[in-house]
Amino acid sequence: MDVTIVGSGTVVPEGDRVCASYFVEEGALRMLLDCGPGSLHHLARFGLPWDTLSHLVLSHFHTDHLGGVPILFFALRYGLSTPRSEALTVLGPAGTAERFERLADAFGNYLRDPGFPVTIREIAPGEALELPGRVWLRAAKTRHTPESLAYRLDVGQASLGYTGDTGYDEELAAWFEGVDTLIAECSLPDELAMDAHLTPARVAALARRARPRRLVLTHVYPQLERETLPERIRDGGWGGETLVAMDGMRLVL
Ligand SMILES: [Zn+2]
Ligand SMILES: [Zn+2]
């Protein structure tokens, strides 16, 4: 499974980071996990196949995770020299289909009918779906918004966890147990801790329970110094491999 960090940023704009987006490739599966503003252009920048995505998976409906959807569909409808015919599957929490209807009302009918088949499949916490490439996708509830989900992708021995946006949750930490690579949000410093996001101490607690082989920190607000972040995770009691995500970073699982 090949994973590329497409967007490791937040709502606060930074020149070298766009909003939340991750590309996963395994066999015939070409998945975009969240589609924040800027992700389409970073897919192009990093030479990733934005035009032949097979799956778009959404964690929740905040604009920094969803706001790139209209331009992606606009590009798929009007930006290809050869029209696309392959189907696209959209997976997301309860309410995803209605959200697409509202986006289509606001932006245009190309979000309903981009010229190729689109299937919207809502996924519930606890559900597991088999995807192309023999990849299993599982969802779990996170503490963030009423609909927000975390995901886990498993193929053979390889596994990827993605927290989406979340506050600390013991059950979620246990759900990620044994995952190879865990992409975890780490939004704020411990002094600015809130229920809906993670801080270094809480990510460390999550990792102590989940025990990933590799921890990748993302969705880091500028209030949190990135250079010293792995150190703060160690201070929090997690000594495993810890990386800070950068747009364009590639991970092989
Ligand atoms: Zn959010
Ligand atoms: Zn976010």
Side-chain angles (χ1 to χ4, degrees):
M1 186 152 48
D2 289 310
V3 179
T4 304
I5 311 289
V6 179
S8 62
T10 65
V11 60
V12 182
E14 293 178 80
D16 53 353
R17 289 168 196 271
V18 302
C19 293
S21 187
Y22 308 87
F23 176 75
V24 179
E25 187 163 26
E26 170 67 36
L29 180 74
R30 290 178 300 281
M31 173 190 288
L32 195 63
L33 201 46
D34 276 340
C35 186
S39 51
L40 173 66
H41 288 72
H42 264 195
L43 287 168
R45 177 179 168 186
F46 302 134
L48 297 168
W50 64 269
D51 50 343
T52 58
L53 291 175
S54 63
H55 290 71
L56 170 63
V57 181
L58 301 170
S59 67
H60 66 296
F61 303 146
H62 277 157
T63 306
D64 59 321
H65 296 252
L66 174 77
V69 168
I71 189 64
L72 172 65
F73 273 65
F74 201 57
L76 290 172
R77 178 71 181 83
Y78 298 112
L80 294 171
S81 46
T82 309
R84 172 179 169 136
S85 56
E86 306 86 53
L88 175 70
T89 302
V90 178
L91 299 165
T96 298
E98 196 207 335
R99 199 52 65 144
F100 266 74
E101 279 301 308
R102 286 201 246 151
L103 286 173
D105 289 343
F107 287 95
N109 200 48
Y110 64 87
L111 277 149
R112 263 180 218 107
D113 177 18
F116 53 87
V118 175
T119 305
I120 299 177
R121 164 77 155 86
E122 297 182 352
I123 182 164
E127 235 186 297
L129 292 180
E130 191 177 5
L131 305 181
R134 294 186 188 170
V135 175
W136 281 92
L137 174 82
R138 292 180 176 82
K141 185 74 197 82
T142 74
R143 288 188 187 206
H144 185 65
T145 61
E147 79 284 0
S148 59
L149 296 176
Y151 290 108
R152 188 175 163 141
L153 292 167
D154 289 88
V155 57
Q157 297 302 308
S159 55
L160 173 74
Y162 171 50
T163 63
D165 284 1
T166 189
Y168 184 74
D169 185 318
E170 191 64 38
E171 249 178 73
L172 182 69
W175 185 73
F176 280 124
E177 193 172 342
V179 80
D180 178 88
T181 296
L182 178 59
I183 299 177
E185 75 122 291
C186 187
S187 292
L188 295 164
D190 290 306
E191 4 2 317
L192 298 177
M194 55 155 88
D195 290 339
H197 282 297
L198 295 173
T199 66
R202 289 173 182 181
V203 172
L206 181 84
R208 286 203 306 272
R209 183 71 180 82
R211 307 195 63 76
R213 184 179 67 78
R214 171 168 56 185
L215 178 64
V216 182
L217 306 172
T218 192
H219 201 279
V220 179
Y221 276 81
Q223 291 98 319
L224 196 50
E225 198 181 280
R226 289 198 181 91
E227 294 67 40
T228 55
L229 206 41
E231 221 171 281
R232 300 192 65 168
I233 299 293
R234 273 196 297 280
D235 294 344
W238 176 247
E241 184 184 355
T242 302
L243 306 173
V244 180
M246 281 177 58
D247 294 18
M249 179 186 274
R250 292 186 188 222
L251 307 163
V252 179
L253 274 68

